[in-house]
Amino acid sequence: MRIISVKESPEFKDKAIQYLQSKWASPDTLMVYEDCIANCITSTRPLPQWYLLENSGDIIGCAGLITNDFISRMDLYPWVCALFIEEEHRGNAFGSLLLEKAKNDTKKGGFSDLYLCTDHVGYYEKYGFTYIGIGYHPWGESFRIYVTRV
């Protein structure tokens, strides 16, 4: 099992763009992922970060570490986003590997807290996240906000 940081391994940029687009993008948001992932490579700032989870040469998951997850609580950052594990690999705590990488990079970036927004209840609590309230997306949806100390 290997976590690939696109910022640290820019040769994975195109693979990361394609994978994250296939899991999270709509036709209207393809360029959001392409632009953000491509530009994380040249940024001298600690954010954003994008990760792939590789198992025996196959990409089986992904996640991001970003400044805002399109949520009303812009006073809170950084955010882990786009956590995804292929269905056939779920139930093995592989998501925790990506969460730990995001936590480590959050700390290295000089931050003490890491946030996420989700509609999942019970998953992130297993990995040290605590519910702190509701946040609102510009398109009208609301999601639960969680935090963990790093």
Side-chain angles (χ1 to χ4, degrees), residues 61-85:
C62 62
L65 181 60
I66 58 176
T67 57
N68 189 279
D69 202 5
F70 304 108
I71 195 129
S72 57
R73 292 298 306 271
M74 294 188 186
D75 57 315
L76 306 175
Y77 58 91
W79 297 78
V80 65
C81 70
L83 180 66
F84 182 85
I85 300 295

Side-chain angles (χ1 to χ4, degrees), residues 47 65-67 73 75-80 99 102-116 128-130 132 145-150:
L47 303 173
L65 181 60
I66 58 176
T67 57
R73 292 298 306 271
D75 57 315
L76 306 175
Y77 58 91
W79 297 78
V80 65
L99 290 172
K103 287 177 184 180
N104 290 337
D105 284 347
T106 296
K107 190 172 188 170
K108 281 196 299 193
F111 303 99
S112 58
D113 296 308
L114 177 60
Y115 300 89
L116 63 85
F129 285 85
T130 303
I132 60 168
I145 297 175
Y146 289 82
V147 65
T148 191
R149 300 288 287 176
V150 294

Side-chain angles (χ1 to χ4, degrees), residues 1-13 15-16 49-55 57-59 61-63 98 101:
M1 202 66 57
R2 174 170 78 135
I3 297 174
I4 300 162
S5 164
V6 176
K7 191 176 203 67
E8 297 166 3
S9 300
E11 65 273 18
F12 285 91
K13 175 190 75 154
K15 190 177 251 188
Q49 295 265 357
W50 295 95
Y51 312 112
L52 296 173
L53 183 61
E54 183 184 69
N55 183 25
D58 294 325
I59 302 301
C62 62
L98 291 162
K101 175 65 171 159

